[in-house]
Amino acid sequence: KEAMLAAADELADAQAALALLASEVEDADGGSSHSVHQRNADRLLRLCRANAGVYVKVGQHLANLDLLLPDEYIATLAALFDDAPESSFENVREVIREELGGPPDELFDGFSERPFASASLAQVHTAHCKSSGRKLAIKVQHRGLRETSRGDLIAMTAAVRLAELLFEDFNLGWLVDEIAPHLPRELDFNVEADNAERASAHLAKTGLDCVVPRVLRESTTERVLCMEFEEAFNATDVASIDSAGLCRLEIARTITSVFNAQIFESGFVHCDPHEANVLVREHPEKKGRAQLVLVDHGLYRQLDGAFRDSYARLWKGMLLADIGMIREACGSLGVVDMYPLLSAMLTSRPFDEVIERSKSGSFETAAASSSSGGGGGGGDQAVIRGYAQRYLREIIDMLDVVPRQMLLIFKMNDCLRHLDMALGCPGNPLVTAGRYASRRVLVGEVRGAGGGWLCKLRSWLSYLNVVLRIEAYDIWTRLGRARRLRLGD
């Protein structure tokens, strides 16, 4: 394992050196030389911007697949998160007039002509409430999108199906299968308002430092969503995070906790947590602490109880490195022989690390625990990327086997992994997910215990064992970080 990680570090250094050399060659040629990947990434970006709507949404999803796609695609398509096509102010006025019965300057004070954010389906303007003076965020759907999206979906579906027929190795139909049924709901902002209020109610129960902007129902319709404005910056804006004196590790853990609480507690899951939808700021009541602001609640999925029970057992098994539990949980999700691959896809770690931890009884491998606190270095990322590219065909085949609701979970995991890497100092998401999963397993076992109090006692003892191990692990990692800070690591 140490030899493999050392080789990965060398690979990462070699990749950096090659990138630098390529840059120097381009500079020497006057910038005329471009890689094939960069040229194609630029073409794809132009395609998404020219067609807008559904195409921008797909481009944003591709920008989160940093384990599968070359760096050129990730860096280029990331522009779609903050620089999506904008509608003219005249079109914005018309949408508001059609939806709310009057122009924006009559309904609000100080309505901004330029949006402060633009996304695939809508753009957001600032304004102030005429009665209270409260600053507002007004989300206005791009005019005509509701009508053109139907044709876009038909064209995209036809192109993907044709490519699957012509090219044996092309198997991305799952992406269209997931977008098509959910897009109409995303285009109804009344649904998004319902989602936001439901998510806010659940987050309030968790006690996590995360808020959802309050919706003003009287100014919300199918194509206009009115919310209170919450000042914050992107969770990947490390310069602003550091300038505010906030802890990146705390932010990473809070993000992971919020989405695992949604999965394992309410089952009502925000499936689009890309960098423009997860914001952070200093907590208004806890100086020096971070608070998340979760926005864009158009895409949610309600996970059914049986799926969550199986998914929870899988994560508990991965936390404890219990290969038998992992195999059983994967089998209940329809994955029999490829259970190591499914585990690796969810954790972004090779399955041999599970085998190593099953022998040591640790939550981390020896190499990871001796690193600078949670991975994320060049060597680690090279290992993850190499693993994903090696098994790319198997990963695509896996997407045809797992339950359909798992596909949005994969998308959510891609987004969260991208946020972790951008923050540069992620914690151990396996431990955070394992904590919530173990609680879900306990609830399910106690609720369905047919063997009486003895079965319930065994379930409680198993859960307490996990909790005590996690607490001990947290204490140990905090002491390790404090020691490294004293040593100036």
Side-chain angles (χ1 to χ4, degrees), residues 100-407:
L100 300 180
D105 52 305
E106 291 183 6
L107 301 173
F108 307 98
D109 286 334
F111 192 97
S112 63
E113 291 195 9
R114 290 294 306 274
F116 73 87
S118 182
S120 56
L121 307 183
Q123 60 193 48
V124 188
H125 296 255
T126 58
H128 288 81
C129 178
K130 280 187 173 291
S131 58
S132 68
R134 171 83 185 192
K135 189 175 182 180
L136 305 175
I138 315 294
K139 182 175 180 178
V140 183
Q141 190 174 118
H142 296 308
R143 193 175 188 197
L145 178 62
R146 182 173 52 185
E147 293 75 23
T148 61
S149 63
R150 299 186 184 96
D152 288 341
L153 283 174
I154 293 173
M156 189 177 299
T157 301
V160 169
R161 299 304 180 215
L162 179 60
E164 287 182 324
L165 288 174
L166 296 177
F167 305 102
E168 181 181 355
D169 292 336
F170 187 91
N171 189 8
L172 293 178
W174 62 271
L175 186 58
V176 173
D177 291 340
E178 281 305 303
I179 291 177
H182 297 290
L183 185 62
R185 291 180 59 80
E186 284 192 82
L187 291 173
D188 185 348
F189 290 168
N190 287 309
V191 173
E192 180 170 350
D194 293 339
N195 293 344
E197 291 174 347
R198 184 174 172 185
S200 179
H202 169 251
L203 287 170
K205 295 177 182 177
T206 66
L208 295 168
D209 287 328
C210 180
V211 297
V212 172
R214 188 174 73 87
V215 175
L216 277 66
R217 284 286 189 171
E218 63 274 16
S219 299
T220 293
T221 67
E222 187 175 340
R223 291 190 295 163
V224 175
L225 177 63
C226 184
M227 305 160 285
E228 292 186 348
F229 186 90
E230 300 287 353
E231 296 281 355
F233 41 83
N234 285 3
T236 56
D237 186 353
V238 292
S240 296
I241 290 171
D242 294 342
S243 177
L246 304 178
C247 175
R248 295 193 207 175
L249 182 60
E250 177 194 354
I251 293 169
R253 284 182 169 176
T254 303
I255 292 172
T256 304
S257 296
V258 164
F259 290 97
N260 278 285
Q262 288 188 336
I263 291 172
F264 295 114
E265 292 182 359
S266 70
F268 191 59
V269 182
H270 188 306
C271 292
D272 201 17
H274 63 67
E275 58 192 65
N277 291 342
V278 182
L279 311 179
V280 66
R281 64 185 179 191
E282 184 177 22
H283 199 293
E285 299 175 0
K286 302 176 184 177
K287 186 173 178 59
R289 298 290 300 275
Q291 183 183 60
L292 300 184
V293 180
L294 192 59
V295 300
D296 195 352
H297 299 270
L299 183 59
Y300 269 73
R301 171 64 69 88
Q302 179 63 55
L303 306 178
D304 66 59
F307 173 83
R308 281 191 289 155
D309 288 339
S310 297
Y311 193 62
R313 288 196 302 275
L314 175 55
W315 273 100
K316 182 179 179 180
M318 291 189 295
L319 173 68
L320 300 178
D322 186 331
I323 296 176
M325 186 182 296
I326 293 172
R327 185 187 296 112
E328 180 273 329
C330 287
S332 66
L333 291 170
V335 179
V336 180
D337 296 329
M338 293 189 288
Y339 69 89
L341 181 59
L342 178 57
S343 301
M345 288 172 64
L346 291 171
T347 61
S348 301
R349 307 301 305 170
F351 192 72
D352 60 354
E353 292 193 359
V354 175
I355 298 174
E356 181 179 337
R357 291 193 298 108
S358 70
K359 299 173 182 177
S360 67
S362 172
F363 288 156
E364 289 184 339
T365 61
S369 61
S370 63
S371 68
S372 59
D380 274 355
Q381 293 188 29
V383 169
I384 297 171
R385 182 180 291 275
Y387 193 78
Q389 292 176 349
R390 178 182 176 186
Y391 295 104
L392 178 60
R393 179 60 184 270
E394 288 82 357
I395 289 173
I396 293 175
D397 289 341
M398 175 78 70
L399 298 176
D400 285 333
V401 176
V402 296
R404 294 293 93 185
Q405 55 194 319
M406 177 72 90
L407 298 182

